[in-house]
Amino acid sequence: MLLSRRFARLITVVLRPGSTLESTAAAADRSGRLPGSVFSSEPLGVLCSVERGFRTSVATQRKASGETKERNKQKKKDVKKRDGKGEGSHKRKQRWTYSPIEPPKDKDSFDVFATSESPSHPEQRRRKRKVHFDVDADSLPQLPHFSALIASEAVKLRGDKGLAPVLDNDSKLHINGLMKEFCKSGSASDKSLELYVNAELWPQASSRFRRFILRSITPEVRDHLLAHPRYSSRVEKLLFPYFAQFVVHEFSPEIQAYRAIVGSADLRRPHEWYKVSRSIQRKIIYHAGPTNSGKTYNALQAFKSAEIGLYCGPLRLLAMEVYDSSNLDGVRCNLVTGQENRQVPEATHTSCTVEMVSCSKRVDVCVIDEIQLLGDEGRGQSWTRALQGVPANEIHICGDASAVPLVRQLCRQMGESLELKHYKRFTPLTVDHEGLPNGYKDVRPGDCIVAFSRRDIFDIKRIVEEESGLKTCVVYGALPPETRRQQARLFNDPDSGYDVLVASDAVGMGLNLNIRRVVFHTMFKFEGISMQQITSSQIKQIAGRAGRRNSIYPEGFVTCFELEHLPILQEALDLPQSAMSTPEAGLFPEFEQIEMFASKVPGDDMCKLLQQLMAEAKLDGIFFFCKQESLMTIAKLLQKLPELSLRERFTFALAPVNVRDPRVLSALLEFATVYARGYPVCCKLDIPTKIPTTDDELKHLETLHQVVALWLWLSMRFEEQFPGRESAEVVLAKIIRVMDLGLENLSRINEGDSEAFSFGGKADLSDLTHKAAIAQLLTELPMQKHVKMKLPLGVTMGRRRLEHFAL
């Protein structure tokens, strides 16, 4: 490694009051070395200890003007002869030792320690031992130290007229050209990061350094630069040590500020954020296995038998299942999700969604389900936080084996033990190579057709009901969890008349279903920009829903609607669990880290703040920043509300909003605007009473449900400003009831049933049972057909008001 790079990476800058330019220059004149003091009238300097003399230089071959090649060869021979080495011996290596000196601890102290890594946390990176490296002594030209340049500049600034100019016009033009190339050098800019010179400071620092060299250049530096006809890496190596000392000398406040920012953005040890968990010795048990292997069942048995238990699920639907089953088994259990908090008297257990887990409340046993999702690009940070932060004596994590190596690394980093339990699938899973030769006419009872778009789901539902005569249920992510559970009950009940399920990938977790065969409508899914093939892990997760233990089907089958997709299916199912990998864990800083970073960065634009944090933050190699497109979109909207504090902006930005739905996004902005102006945000919504007859009408109800669910989520965090939670929950329940009737209505319409009901007056309501149910529902629901938000008098909400969205 070359001396210039080592010098730049091992430089230690110490603030020492009391030193002056004159004393430094005098010391430099006497010894030719940089003394242990500063080199300017400002109390700032460079301090290095060197065993065998310190020559501030670069590893460039010295070429004195007028010297011939023979003379250079003779000089090398003389050096070897002087050192007692023969003609064929190797060049003598000189051992250099740098001993970084600790700065004083007073308030005026400032130090920069640049290492071979990018600037991250200088205090943690400072090496207190001596760092040894070898330098080729013959490659070091004799260059003056930086203090000599400072002294030369001081003399010229005094305007001594008797001094001869160092540069003539041609030399000045050539050296100025080299300096301009240095200013444009990407490698020099990258190396300057190690000195805490960021991309914003680099243009100014390099430009001033160019002018400084032209002013203060000495004959020795001039000769070495003129020896290079064009800019090269050797020129850069010659200049960079001077640049390193120049920026420390001239830009100490900027370097201090950037160093503080970098220090606050050090996210390499996120487990240290959770002090309670680090204060106890936890035992982590990994239940690894495929779908339908009993791994979650065994973990839940430990949860239910514990004195104080906590379950963390990936979906509200799963949290509700554990909440119901625990209370049925006599284990009193609370339910905590983003939008509701059901407290059971004397409950000792809690079932929650993974985002709502508490990292401060001690428990005996915690279960974290679907642990492989810590590698998810959008939500992975929630699993990482739960694994590192839950203060539990025992943590049972469930999932496939793809995350085992990553979890082992995390446990090693936390200093905790890991016990691994492997499980095998209970029932066989077979690929049906015949598929559906006649299309969806060949659908049979117990089939589950998996599609990846809402429109495809309703198109398939219509085709199956028209061509096979079998009634179908639907399950997809936009449906409320209560509606998904109701659809699952209808599918599992042999007497309900519903024999087929059409679902999205939401069927892959959270529902126990009597599925005989899984049929993949396609193996490709739209991922924001383009169609992408679903992963092997997703294929295994979804296909494994067929033939579950304790279902009415002892064996499961899986096939594809498109026969050309069967090789993709077969390859995914044949892939062993050990070959699957979750390489990195998702991470996103807690509010405390964002607040600390914001204190170092001027301005109140949260969007820019988060962008800068993600750009400056340093992560360990096993972590990645989760995508936060929704958060960034909401943060941009909230720029219009300067009244909100940083914490309030961050809370609103975390709201579970589908940013691709402008109506829900508009509702969030309305809620935030009313809140920012100090008014109570009430949820007095009028429910549409028209039972949906098309999937588009059902989609409007889904949007209305999301708006009310959003209000409930915010009311959990701003209780005083969002009054009337009980009435909002009643409104939500009524919306769900209308949606359930709408899904039943769609099946009747597809069958051409005269019992299909519609308030448009087009269908014959001949079934008295349905008429009675609808009449009862209508007596409970308001009759308005628009969503309206009741706001205090005088509040102006802008052009787009929520009531403009008629449902």
Side-chain angles (χ1 to χ4, degrees), residues 419-443:
E419 180 181 342
L420 191 59
K421 294 185 178 182
H422 286 284
Y423 296 80
K424 294 183 179 180
R425 183 178 169 86
F426 288 128
T427 58
L429 182 63
T430 306
V431 176
D432 180 3
H433 292 280
E434 294 184 4
L436 305 176
N438 299 313
Y440 285 121
K441 281 184 179 181
D442 292 336
V443 170

Side-chain angles (χ1 to χ4, degrees), residues 535-609:
T535 64
S536 297
S537 178
Q538 289 174 314
I539 293 173
K540 286 176 174 286
Q541 185 83 14
I542 296 170
R545 294 292 154 181
R548 288 181 65 84
R549 189 185 189 190
N550 299 326
S551 73
I552 62 176
Y553 302 108
E555 183 178 0
F557 297 90
V558 59
T559 189
C560 295
F561 181 73
E562 302 287 348
L563 292 181
E564 56 265 29
H565 291 169
L566 281 175
I568 300 175
L569 174 63
Q570 189 69 60
E571 181 182 0
L573 295 180
D574 291 342
L575 186 69
Q577 290 278 327
S578 58
M580 299 168 62
S581 174
T582 303
E584 296 176 332
L587 189 68
F588 197 75
E590 302 282 316
F591 175 75
E592 289 73 19
Q593 281 72 45
I594 294 175
E595 188 176 40
M596 182 187 303
F597 186 79
S599 67
K600 311 293 183 182
V601 179
D604 58 353
D605 188 333
M606 192 180 77
C607 186
K608 291 182 179 178
L609 173 70

Side-chain angles (χ1 to χ4, degrees), residues 39-103:
F39 42 75
S40 73
S41 57
E42 297 179 7
L44 185 64
V46 177
L47 202 54
C48 291
S49 166
V50 184
E51 282 183 358
R52 297 190 58 183
F54 180 76
R55 286 180 275 178
T56 307
S57 177
V58 293
T60 56
Q61 183 68 35
R62 185 180 182 188
K63 293 183 179 180
S65 58
E67 288 184 338
T68 62
K69 292 183 179 180
E70 289 76 15
R71 186 175 178 183
N72 286 335
K73 290 181 181 178
Q74 186 60 41
K75 282 188 174 183
K76 293 180 182 179
K77 290 180 182 179
D78 293 341
V79 171
K80 291 178 182 178
K81 185 177 180 180
R82 183 190 63 201
D83 294 336
K85 297 198 173 184
E87 194 70 33
S89 63
H90 295 287
K91 293 182 179 180
R92 178 175 62 91
K93 297 290 183 178
Q94 194 170 13
R95 175 73 72 177
W96 298 76
T97 305
Y98 287 75
S99 300
I101 296 177
E102 291 292 337

Side-chain angles (χ1 to χ4, degrees), residues 130-304:
K130 292 185 177 181
V131 183
H132 299 278
F133 54 90
D134 292 323
V135 178
D136 188 351
D138 291 339
S139 65
L140 298 176
Q142 297 290 339
L143 289 175
H145 293 285
F146 182 74
S147 56
L149 272 66
I150 290 287
S152 175
E153 183 188 35
V155 170
K156 292 179 182 179
L157 290 177
R158 285 201 299 266
D160 292 348
K161 298 181 180 180
L163 293 176
V166 177
L167 294 176
D168 56 25
N169 290 336
D170 291 341
S171 300
K172 185 174 183 179
L173 186 64
H174 178 74
I175 293 177
N176 188 44
L178 294 179
M179 295 304 302
K180 285 184 177 179
E181 291 300 321
F182 178 84
C183 296
K184 298 177 184 178
S185 172
S187 60
S189 175
D190 292 342
K191 283 193 292 185
S192 69
L193 282 172
E194 301 170 1
L195 301 168
Y196 299 94
V197 177
N198 59 10
E200 183 179 353
L201 180 59
W202 166 258
Q204 180 185 0
S206 59
S207 178
R208 284 178 57 178
F209 175 63
R210 177 183 63 84
R211 295 193 295 270
F212 167 77
I213 289 293
L214 293 175
R215 285 195 312 267
S216 63
I217 193 168
T218 64
E220 295 87 353
V221 177
R222 176 200 61 194
D223 292 342
H224 282 288
L225 289 177
L226 290 177
H228 297 277
R230 63 183 62 86
Y231 186 82
S232 64
S233 60
R234 290 188 174 186
V235 176
E236 185 173 304
K237 292 169 186 175
L238 186 150
L239 291 172
F240 198 82
Y242 289 129
F243 175 78
Q245 296 177 78
F246 174 79
V247 294
V248 170
H249 178 255
E250 296 290 332
F251 294 93
S252 60
E254 291 85 350
I255 290 176
Q256 279 180 306
Y258 183 60
R259 179 171 177 258
I261 291 174
V262 170
S264 65
D266 186 1
L267 308 180
R268 290 172 299 171
R269 301 177 64 84
H271 62 279
E272 294 181 351
W273 301 345
Y274 311 106
K275 303 300 182 183
V276 179
S277 297
R278 301 289 76 79
S279 66
I280 60 177
Q281 188 62 38
R282 306 182 306 169
K283 181 181 180 181
I284 299 178
I285 303 170
Y286 195 134
H287 301 265
T291 306
N292 191 22
S293 60
K295 58 184 185 297
T296 306
Y297 172 82
N298 287 328
L300 286 176
Q301 292 303 111
F303 160 78
K304 293 177 181 178

Side-chain angles (χ1 to χ4, degrees), residues 5-6 8-11 112-122 124-127 191 193-196:
R5 183 175 298 175
R6 291 166 183 152
R9 292 179 178 174
L10 296 170
I11 184 172
V112 173
F113 188 84
T115 68
S116 59
E117 299 186 12
S118 298
S120 46
H121 202 305
Q124 295 179 1
R125 285 297 178 188
R126 180 175 291 109
R127 304 187 182 197
K191 283 193 292 185
L193 282 172
E194 301 170 1
L195 301 168
Y196 299 94

Side-chain angles (χ1 to χ4, degrees), residues 744-756:
E744 183 179 351
N745 198 27
L746 290 177
S747 293
R748 292 174 177 272
I749 291 173
N750 290 337
E751 295 172 350
D753 194 340
S754 61
E755 296 180 358

Side-chain angles (χ1 to χ4, degrees), residues 16-35:
R16 288 196 176 185
S19 299
T20 62
L21 173 63
E22 289 76 9
S23 63
T24 303
D29 290 340
R30 289 193 302 269
S31 64
R33 298 181 183 178
L34 181 64

Side-chain angles (χ1 to χ4, degrees), residues 377-452:
E377 290 185 348
R379 299 176 64 202
Q381 77 275 6
S382 299
W383 276 264
T384 304
R385 175 177 176 268
L387 177 61
Q388 294 184 329
V390 173
N393 298 329
E394 276 188 10
I395 296 183
H396 294 255
I397 54 180
C398 311
D400 61 42
S402 65
V404 169
L406 178 58
V407 170
R408 185 175 284 115
Q409 280 185 279
L410 292 172
C411 290
R412 190 181 303 118
Q413 190 181 70
M414 294 182 291
E416 295 173 341
S417 63
L418 175 65
E419 180 181 342
L420 191 59
K421 294 185 178 182
H422 286 284
Y423 296 80
K424 294 183 179 180
R425 183 178 169 86
F426 288 128
T427 58
L429 182 63
T430 306
V431 176
D432 180 3
H433 292 280
E434 294 184 4
L436 305 176
N438 299 313
Y440 285 121
K441 281 184 179 181
D442 292 336
V443 170
R444 297 291 179 263
D447 283 354
C448 172
I449 304 166
V450 178
F452 299 108

